[in-house]
Amino acid sequence: MATPGESPSGSSERRPELDAIRMLVVIGLVFFHSALVFATEGDFYVTNSDTTEVVTVIAGFGVVWAMPLLFLISGLGARHSLQRRGEGAFVAERLRRLGVPLLLATVLLNPLPQWLRQRPSDPGHQESYAAFLPRFFDVHVELDEFPFLIQGQYFETGHLWFVVLLLTFSLTLAPLPRLLPREPARRALARVAAATLRRRGALLTPALLFAAFCAFVGMEEDYAGWHRWSYLLFFAAGFLLAADTRLRTAMRREARAAACLGVLLFISAAPGFITADDPFTQATPLAVASRALFGAAGWCLVVAIPGLLDRPGRQPSSRPVAPADMTSRQRVHGYLAAAVLPLYVLHQPIVVAVAYFVVRWSAPIAVEYGVLVATSLALTLAAYELLVRRTRVTRFLFGMRT
């Protein structure tokens, strides 16, 4: 995730459409995680007594593009930040802006959803939150789960898996510009960019790589459906796309075709995911083919969405705008753009806590869902405004500029 106030692009030009996508995805996660409370399948922290399969279908379409797109945008921002700061300062900045909120939220926020998970599953469960905490932090190291090295019966990174992977990928790719021969690498990238711009459909060919990865490596339900290392491919793709503006031009050109193909591939994958016993890891022809279609759909949609939003003539002036001269829309945009990471960190524990009370009602699913979303969104924004945004210390702890 490009850190707040930083252009997620490969140049100094502001990319407002990428900021808008980040805001849309993070706010959309409140709707997404609220919906999981009513899903027929899955193992969310709190589950409603009445469920619906509609959630599975709608959530599946969000899963195929939302988190991959966040990683791609993060790769774009990482390259710009690395070029501007240099390797050492970039690593220090990522450790501060991602590592500090990761540690804070793991200690203070993540135990709550796990504690609430135990209560409805065991009617006799009366363990206090304070008594549960030592069990949550009873952990050990498992190297084969890298980068999620710390494991335990109750311990989890929860929704912070995104921050763990983003920090890992940023630190992994930081030395890359220094290790690659600069001039040969630049010429090779220029040839790729020229060929991509010249040949229709060339930017969609990586869909074959994502299809093969999903088909043969598999998928992981714990990480929004995708395998954890498939996100490295999206992050690296963003890192490379930021290096040449001709690749951005190619994304705009291919956007409509990519959108149509992505939707078609997702629809083709859906029957396999619905009927297979374990579509994420099963080696049957149906499961393998479904995963391949899903992986290809993901890349096509990740190309399509920024390309459709990045239209010529929509870029704002590079001249700084004084706060007094900003429109209401610009103020809201700036407010939410700076809030992306804190809102991501805060939202899931709040959704789970609100859901714990809402599922006790005897009301239609639509009513419970509407109340859950509205209350969770309001509390998340309030927590950001009142507990995070207003002091230098809390801004630092949540990865914001101080």
Side-chain angles (χ1 to χ4, degrees):
M1 185 179 298
T3 48
E6 177 177 281
S7 176
S9 70
S11 68
S12 60
E13 180 184 8
R14 192 74 194 177
R15 296 285 301 274
E17 79 283 359
L18 300 186
D19 283 335
I21 291 170
R22 293 165 59 237
M23 291 184 282
L24 172 65
V25 171
V26 170
I27 292 175
L29 286 173
V30 175
F31 292 80
F32 176 80
H33 286 130
S34 296
L36 295 184
V37 174
F38 306 96
T40 303
E41 300 179 3
D43 183 29
F44 198 59
Y45 302 93
V46 178
T47 304
N48 194 52
S49 56
D50 294 328
T51 59
T52 173
E53 293 184 356
V54 173
V55 170
T56 303
V57 177
I58 296 176
F61 185 70
V63 161
V64 75
W65 63 267
M67 298 309 293
L69 192 48
L70 276 189
F71 277 105
L72 183 127
I73 293 173
S74 298
L76 288 165
R79 184 176 187 102
H80 170 62
S81 179
L82 183 59
Q83 288 177 329
R84 183 159 56 89
R85 290 184 170 91
E87 183 181 338
F90 172 80
V91 169
E93 185 264 353
R94 293 292 136 152
L95 289 172
R96 179 176 67 85
R97 303 285 287 277
L98 296 174
V100 171
L102 173 62
L103 180 61
L104 175 76
T106 299
V107 173
L108 296 184
L109 300 179
N110 275 11
L112 178 63
Q114 279 289 62
W115 178 64
L116 292 176
R117 185 201 293 271
Q118 310 307 313
R119 298 180 73 82
S121 62
D122 180 4
H125 185 86
Q126 298 297 325
E127 183 180 36
S128 69
Y129 187 63
F132 172 73
L133 286 177
R135 294 205 293 146
F136 180 84
F137 291 109
D138 182 11
V139 297
H140 58 276
V141 174
E142 291 187 18
L143 296 178
D144 58 349
E145 290 293 329
F146 182 83
F148 304 97
L149 298 173
I150 301 177
Q151 298 287 319
Q153 182 178 358
Y154 298 101
F155 179 86
E156 64 167 9
T157 55
H159 66 299
L160 299 177
W161 63 263
F162 169 75
V163 184
V164 173
L165 290 179
L166 182 54
L167 181 59
T168 301
F169 299 162
S170 297
L171 299 183
T172 300
L173 292 186
L176 190 61
R178 173 173 54 84
L179 297 176
L180 291 176
R182 183 170 301 180
E183 189 57 27
R186 188 191 66 78
R187 288 197 299 266
L189 180 62
R191 287 193 296 269
V192 170
T196 301
L197 190 61
R198 185 170 60 251
R199 299 173 185 171
R200 297 285 300 189
L203 196 60
L204 300 184
T205 55
L208 299 175
L209 172 62
F210 287 94
F213 192 98
C214 289
F216 300 112
V217 178
M219 300 167 63
E220 295 181 296
E221 192 171 1
D222 289 341
Y223 307 114
W226 292 85
H227 193 282
R228 71 190 75 178
W229 295 114
S230 64
Y231 291 121
L232 176 58
L233 299 179
F234 285 110
F235 184 86
F239 199 83
L240 292 175
L241 286 169
D244 196 303
T245 56
R246 287 173 292 186
L247 296 173
R248 178 180 174 185
T249 302
M251 289 184 76
R252 290 200 300 264
R253 186 190 65 189
E254 306 289 353
R256 293 182 185 276
C260 294
L261 182 58
V263 172
L264 180 61
L265 289 169
F266 175 77
I267 293 173
S268 301
F273 281 92
I274 293 172
T275 59
D277 292 334
D278 183 9
F280 291 95
T281 60
Q282 210 170 28
T284 63
L286 176 61
V288 170
S290 299
R291 291 197 298 271
L293 292 169
F294 182 93
W299 174 253
C300 290
L301 292 172
V302 161
V303 169
I305 294 171
L308 288 171
L309 295 177
D310 181 21
R311 309 319 306 165
R314 290 189 182 180
Q315 301 300 331
S317 170
S318 60
R319 180 177 59 85
V321 180
D325 297 330
M326 289 183 179
T327 64
S328 297
R329 182 176 179 180
Q330 288 173 322
R331 290 192 184 97
V332 171
H333 184 280
Y335 180 89
L336 292 177
V340 166
L341 182 58
L343 292 179
Y344 181 89
V345 170
L346 290 167
H347 84 277
Q348 183 162 286
I350 292 175
V351 169
V352 175
V354 175
Y356 179 77
F357 295 100
V358 170
V359 297
R360 301 180 183 186
W361 299 356
S362 296
I365 289 177
V367 173
E368 293 184 358
Y369 178 70
V371 170
L372 176 56
V373 167
T375 305
S376 299
L377 190 56
L379 289 176
T380 302
L381 289 170
Y384 165 70
E385 176 62 30
L386 300 176
L387 303 178
V388 177
R389 179 174 175 267
R390 300 197 175 195
T391 72
R392 291 176 61 88
V393 172
T394 51
R395 290 173 68 89
F396 170 82
L397 291 175
F398 279 84
M400 300 180 67
R401 295 187 184 278
T402 56

